[in-house]
Amino acid sequence: ACAMASFFFCGATELDPQIQADIANASNFNQTQLPELVNLVLELLLDPNGSGFQEKLGAFASKYGVNAPALKNVARGLVIFFRGATKHNLGPAQVAADCEALGLNADATSAIKGCWESYYAGLAGAQVEKTIMANQVIDMEWKFGVTAASNQVAQVGATFLHLKLVIDRGNGRHEDVFMEMSLPQFFQFMADMEKAKTHLDFLSS
């Protein structure tokens, strides 16, 4: 069960053992192939309509001589994994912890974490944009913090931002949505929000 294995990306729901196996098989790709595959999946989540995912997956299989059905299964597992990571607003450390818990080796975990760090702000921004467009935001709070301790020396002393959105779900129900991001991710997020606002202003004018 998901709760017993304590995967961050699937929240309180149970994880299908087949999906777990599909994700774990990402360890079979080398350090050139895996980042390329993960980036394809993240591009799909960032732009579901414009990524040309199936064609790129086919080209990937041909380029590296990978079995297409097996590749499709791993890609499916990664899509579910990163959708969950986006939904539950996981930071890179939580994504890495889930990779280890899923049985991925250290090289695969490092590659996936590195890709997630590159796409995290854009996906978080897209998620909040969807939330804002689908629900009325009643309140927003944020506070800054500084990393006091980390297993990565480079992260100690780094500034991060906690963001809290209060959204109206209708019928008098409110829901809190929490996010955490680094300053560069926050600035990227603000730029994405500005673009979204410009787009909405254009549509409503």
Side-chain angles (χ1 to χ4, degrees):
C2 188
M4 289 171 61
S6 67
F7 299 128
F8 293 110
F9 79 95
C10 56
T13 59
E14 290 192 3
L15 181 63
D16 184 329
Q18 182 57 55
I19 299 299
Q20 181 171 349
D22 289 341
I23 299 170
N25 282 334
S27 286
N28 296 331
F29 294 92
N30 66 34
Q31 289 301 285
T32 302
Q33 297 165 347
L34 185 56
E36 193 174 323
L37 175 60
V38 170
N39 286 339
L40 284 182
V41 170
L42 292 170
E43 284 287 346
L44 169 69
L45 296 183
L46 204 54
D47 185 11
N49 299 318
S51 73
F53 183 67
Q54 295 292 349
E55 294 82 359
K56 289 178 182 174
L57 210 56
F60 180 95
S62 301
K63 179 179 177 181
Y64 294 112
V66 178
N67 176 278
L71 174 63
K72 190 174 179 182
N73 288 340
V74 173
R76 178 188 63 170
L78 289 172
V79 167
I80 291 167
F81 177 69
F82 286 119
R83 269 193 186 137
T86 303
K87 178 182 177 183
H88 295 288
N89 186 40
L90 302 189
Q94 291 169 305
V95 163
D98 270 357
C99 286
E100 289 169 10
L102 286 160
L104 288 155
N105 63 32
D107 285 343
T109 296
S110 176
I112 288 172
K113 182 185 177 189
C115 294
W116 181 247
E117 283 173 338
S118 300
Y119 281 86
Y120 169 64
L123 285 165
Q127 182 73 9
V128 173
E129 183 182 336
K130 274 191 224 163
T131 302
I132 290 172
M133 291 179 76
N135 306 275
Q136 184 180 0
V137 177
I138 300 167
D139 194 15
M140 183 189 290
E141 298 173 13
W142 63 86
K143 61 182 178 181
F144 291 98
V146 177
T147 305
S150 170
N151 55 5
Q152 294 187 3
V153 175
Q155 290 182 353
V156 176
T159 305
F160 61 88
L161 178 103
H162 282 296
L163 185 66
K164 174 186 169 186
L165 300 175
V166 182
I167 59 176
D168 185 353
R169 287 294 192 191
N171 298 322
R173 290 187 304 117
H174 297 165
E175 183 180 332
D176 295 341
V177 177
F178 296 94
M179 301 177 69
E180 183 180 307
M181 56 186 78
S182 67
L183 274 187
Q185 289 169 339
F186 172 65
F187 291 131
Q188 178 63 50
F189 167 70
M190 292 304 293
D192 291 341
M193 287 296 95
E194 191 60 38
K195 277 191 266 183
K197 180 180 181 299
T198 302
H199 181 63
L200 289 172
D201 289 345
F202 173 75
L203 289 176
S204 61
S205 62

